Amino acid sequence: MAADNIISLKENIDLERLPQHIAIIMDGNGRWAKSKGKPRVFGHQSGVTSVREAAESAAELGVSYLTLYAFSTENWKRPLFEVNALMRLLLQTIKDEVVTLNKNNIRLNAIGDLNSLPKLNREHLQKAIEETKNNDRMTLTLALSYSSRWEIVQAAKKLAELVKAGECEPENVDQQYFESLLTTTGMPDPELLIRTSGESRVSNFMLWQIAYAELFFSQKFWPEFRKEDLYEAVLDYQCRERRFGKTSEQITKKK
Ligand code: FPP
């Protein structure tokens, strides 16, 4: 896309009505690589550029939270060679990007079953989280070894333990309390969920949190995703009427 087209997409965004939290299911690395006659891992490597583009464009717009589905619980079932390559790539990217995250005032965060990650990944991830913890322009969350059903079950387990220990009464459990046991506690729910690669499903990602999110399905494979694709998704989001179960008249009257 020509540079002036990108600028005009960006200029059309209403900065007063930005989604506070954007979540992205990065999909299509393997198919993109295959279409180029390259191994799947080449697709993952190329996807790192798109991660940068997404983070930069979201931060430049003023989005407060960006959450990326980088590795699902189910991804462990992939061939060992690919899992190892993804873990190495993740480790390298985390190590390489801390300086840039700090330069751009971006805080790194991670959700998921982090104990299942290789020790070195866990250590460098914790180090990067610690080194960026005071940044407050945007929180970039990586969902790693994450799945929503895993998250909900671990929240239910915590709740059962709290009740068993007499620290919580079942009648005091409401949505807000349950949310405090999820890995995303303290974050607003994503208002916009983007999935790339033309697939129209949510694949066990933030099922609780996306209850009212607007969904945007991009035809691009993840390695092709650039700033203008994020702008396009935000512009599309801004054209939607978010009713939260109310009528259109109730919503427009409030404006
Ligand atoms: C989905 O494509 C992508 C992944 C499982 C991994 C995403 C990882 C990256 C973009 C690389 C590094 C990320 C970070 C955060 C440093 P796929 O393999 O499922 O593609 P396919 O559906 O075409 O097979």
Side-chain angles (χ1 to χ4, degrees), residues 20-24 50-59 63-68 106-107 109 138-142 187 192 194 222 230:
Q20 244 197 302
H21 185 172
I22 299 179
I24 307 184
S50 309
V51 168
R52 274 192 216 108
E53 291 259 325
E56 269 178 33
S57 53
V63 170
S64 303
Y65 295 86
L66 176 69
T67 300
L68 304 176
I106 297 174
R107 183 169 79 97
N109 178 36
M138 184 178 84
T139 299
L140 171 65
T141 300
L142 300 181
M187 287 192 221
L192 173 61
I194 301 172
W222 179 249
L230 189 118

Side-chain angles (χ1 to χ4, degrees), residues 26-32 40 43-45 47-48 51 68-72 75 78 82 86 89-90 93-94 142 144 197 199 221-222:
M26 309 182 286
D27 193 20
N29 293 351
R31 277 166 288 158
W32 178 82
R40 295 179 54 81
H44 299 316
Q45 287 162 345
V48 176
V51 168
L68 304 176
Y69 204 3
F71 194 85
S72 73
N75 286 154
R78 291 193 173 192
E82 186 172 338
L86 271 166
L89 182 61
L90 200 65
T93 310
I94 292 165
L142 300 181
L144 293 167
S197 92
E199 305 288 2
F221 290 132
W222 179 249

Side-chain angles (χ1 to χ4, degrees), residues 7-255:
I7 293 167
S8 98
L9 269 178
K10 192 178 178 189
E11 278 173 353
N12 282 322
I13 293 174
D14 178 354
L15 298 179
E16 301 297 315
R17 292 192 306 118
L18 281 178
Q20 244 197 302
H21 185 172
I22 299 179
I24 307 184
I25 301 177
M26 309 182 286
D27 193 20
N29 293 351
R31 277 166 288 158
W32 178 82
K34 197 174 165 201
S35 75
K36 302 206 152 332
K38 305 266 191 189
R40 295 179 54 81
V41 171
F42 178 70
H44 299 316
Q45 287 162 345
S46 306
V48 176
T49 304
S50 309
V51 168
R52 274 192 216 108
E53 291 259 325
E56 269 178 33
S57 53
E60 282 163 8
L61 280 178
V63 170
S64 303
Y65 295 86
L66 176 69
T67 300
L68 304 176
Y69 204 3
F71 194 85
S72 73
T73 310
E74 291 74 25
N75 286 154
W76 290 114
K77 294 181 201 144
R78 291 193 173 192
L80 189 60
F81 170 78
E82 186 172 338
V83 170
N84 288 343
L86 271 166
M87 289 301 143
R88 274 198 304 273
L89 182 61
L90 200 65
L91 178 61
Q92 196 54 50
T93 310
I94 292 165
K95 283 198 212 166
D96 291 347
E97 297 298 322
V98 177
V99 174
T100 316
L101 289 171
N102 277 330
K103 231 186 253 166
N104 288 293
N105 195 12
I106 297 174
R107 183 169 79 97
L108 185 70
N109 178 36
I111 55 170
D113 184 9
L114 305 181
N115 285 331
S116 65
L117 297 174
K119 190 165 173 274
L120 211 53
N121 283 51
R122 239 177 16 238
E123 286 171 358
H124 279 274
L125 187 62
Q126 288 309 339
K127 191 165 170 274
I129 290 173
E130 182 60 28
E131 285 174 9
T132 60
K133 71 174 183 206
N134 295 322
N135 297 339
D136 58 7
R137 184 180 180 202
M138 184 178 84
T139 299
L140 171 65
T141 300
L142 300 181
L144 293 167
S145 192
Y146 173 90
S147 80
S148 211
R149 288 183 177 180
W150 164 81
E151 177 183 42
I152 291 168
V153 168
Q154 66 86 35
K157 272 190 196 160
K158 271 195 231 163
L159 181 57
E161 276 160 21
L162 287 165
V163 171
K164 197 168 146 192
E167 287 171 39
C168 167
E169 295 298 327
E171 51 274 23
N172 293 337
V173 178
D174 55 12
Q175 291 190 21
Q176 206 185 350
Y177 190 88
F178 196 76
E179 267 167 13
S180 74
L181 304 172
L182 296 173
T183 61
T184 49
T185 180
M187 287 192 221
D189 287 342
E191 296 100 326
L192 173 61
L193 172 70
I194 301 172
R195 182 180 186 138
T196 56
S197 92
E199 305 288 2
S200 314
R201 50 178 179 264
V202 291
S203 299
N204 214 350
F205 187 48
M206 301 186 102
L207 300 180
W208 173 285
Q209 296 87 341
I210 60 165
Y212 283 100
E214 298 297 329
L215 310 184
F216 182 86
F217 298 106
S218 162
Q219 295 307 310
K220 298 252 180 97
F221 290 132
W222 179 249
E224 300 168 318
F225 193 87
R226 292 292 175 267
K227 290 184 178 185
E228 60 266 30
D229 299 300
L230 189 118
Y231 300 151
E232 198 191 333
V234 171
L235 280 168
D236 193 84
Y237 161 85
Q238 293 189 332
C239 294
R240 314 262 183 108
E241 184 182 63
R242 307 191 73 219
R243 291 194 292 277
F244 303 97
K246 295 184 183 170
T247 66
S248 184
E249 289 70 24
Q250 286 175 297
I251 302 298
T252 37
K253 224 186 277 169
K254 263 178 63 186
K255 280 181 189 164

